[in-house]
Amino acid sequence: MATNFPSGLKAPFFEGGTDGGNGVFPNAGKTFYVDSANGSDGNDGTTTDKAVATLAQAHSLVTTNKGDVIYLLPGHSETYASAAAISLTKSGFSVIGIGTGTRRPVFYAITATTATFAISGSNVTFKNVKFDGATHASGIDAVAVMVDVTAGDGHVFDGCYFVQSVAGGTVIALIGLRFAAACDEATVANCTAISPTLKATQWLQVVGSAASERHKIQNNYVFGNYLVACVNNITSGIRQASVKGNVLVNTSSRSNGSGIMMRLH
């Protein structure tokens, strides 16, 4: 790609990205590309022309805590059909989705109610990624947890999109995103979650403990018919949390979740 910069550009400019609209995310480590349409897990993932096909393969190429960035190219799509079918165990890297609307990269929960996208490292950032438990042709009703953060501190979900149900749909994910008690200093910001059909219990579940501290839940838009609440802190309280700028709409009329936007202990 010819440019007027003597050293060129570290990453190409993509359609409808994040970070100023150009999809370029500054990083200190290596860059890998994922493309389900044109990639192959036999590639090295270092350029768009040599993209790998799956996030799991890109994750295998990442070096822990080196600031590596994985770009999901526009239109990228994957499914996960069992517990921890996608499992990210490394720390200190980012997953950045490029594209907007129907071109936003998406991960579908399908086939089994135990299907989960699991994260157990630390300091993992997701930007502009869609998680969908409702619209795939192989979707199954009552997926327990779409995205399950089972361990680690410092995780970030920024500008991500969660679909737990659609109007008139019969396939519903019960929980969109869950943080275990072992997690500290998570940030969930600028995300959108929708679940208009009654059955989902909550979008965001935070399992509290004496060690749960400094979570940030900011500037999210949530619209759903949730049996419990849009945001639910279970077991015990979280210390020093920052919750601000959110629009939380719960249309439920059920007694255990009647209009509750946030439930705290």
Side-chain angles (χ1 to χ4, degrees):
M1 178 179 178
T3 74
N4 292 324
F5 297 94
S7 300
L9 293 174
K10 184 173 181 61
F13 285 74
F14 296 114
E15 59 173 284
T18 58
D19 302 288
N22 59 25
V24 176
F25 188 81
N27 61 292
K30 295 180 180 179
T31 300
F32 300 101
Y33 300 91
V34 187
D35 184 354
S36 58
N38 302 300
S40 167
D41 281 349
N43 292 336
D44 64 14
T46 56
T47 68
T48 56
D49 291 336
K50 296 180 180 179
V52 297
T54 64
L55 177 58
Q57 179 62 18
H59 176 259
S60 74
L61 300 172
V62 162
T63 302
T64 286
N65 291 328
K66 292 296 185 180
D68 292 350
V69 174
I70 297 171
Y71 285 103
L72 308 175
L73 296 185
H76 177 76
S77 174
E78 291 189 48
T79 60
Y80 54 100
S82 60
I86 296 176
S87 180
L88 306 184
T89 59
K90 296 181 179 180
S91 299
F93 67 97
S94 299
V95 179
I96 312 298
I98 307 301
T100 60
T102 59
R103 298 288 286 164
R104 180 185 285 114
V106 59
F107 293 87
Y108 294 99
I110 64 167
T111 306
T113 60
T114 55
T116 55
F117 185 113
I119 301 150
S120 58
S122 288
N123 305 310
V124 179
T125 293
F126 291 85
K127 294 176 73 72
N128 193 45
V129 178
K130 183 178 180 179
F131 301 96
D132 189 327
T135 68
H136 194 276
S138 299
I140 187 169
D141 189 30
V143 166
V145 182
M146 289 202 302
V147 182
D148 200 7
V149 184
T150 60
D153 301 334
H155 297 297
V156 176
F157 289 81
D158 185 1
C160 293
Y161 201 98
F162 297 80
V163 180
Q164 292 173 257
S165 71
V166 294
T170 58
V171 177
I172 299 161
L174 303 183
I175 299 174
L177 172 62
R178 178 170 67 185
F179 288 94
C183 300
D184 285 344
E185 298 185 356
T187 297
V188 183
N190 308 308
C191 293
T192 297
I194 60 169
S195 188
T197 302
L198 178 67
K199 189 170 183 178
T201 59
Q202 57 229 271
W203 162 53
L204 174 61
Q205 183 186 91
V206 181
V207 182
S209 73
S212 296
E213 296 181 323
R214 298 180 296 278
H215 291 318
K216 296 178 182 179
I217 305 170
Q218 299 176 350
N219 303 317
N220 301 290
Y221 175 80
V222 183
F223 179 89
N225 193 339
Y226 292 104
L227 290 173
V228 177
C230 298
V231 177
N232 186 22
N233 162 219
I234 67 172
T235 63
S236 61
I238 301 169
R239 299 182 296 182
Q240 304 173 37
S242 173
V243 182
K244 64 181 182 180
N246 301 286
V247 176
L248 307 176
V249 180
N250 186 7
T251 63
S252 174
S253 60
R254 295 286 289 272
S255 60
N256 58 338
S258 182
I260 295 175
M261 296 175 289
M262 181 171 295
R263 189 180 186 193
L264 303 174
H265 288 269

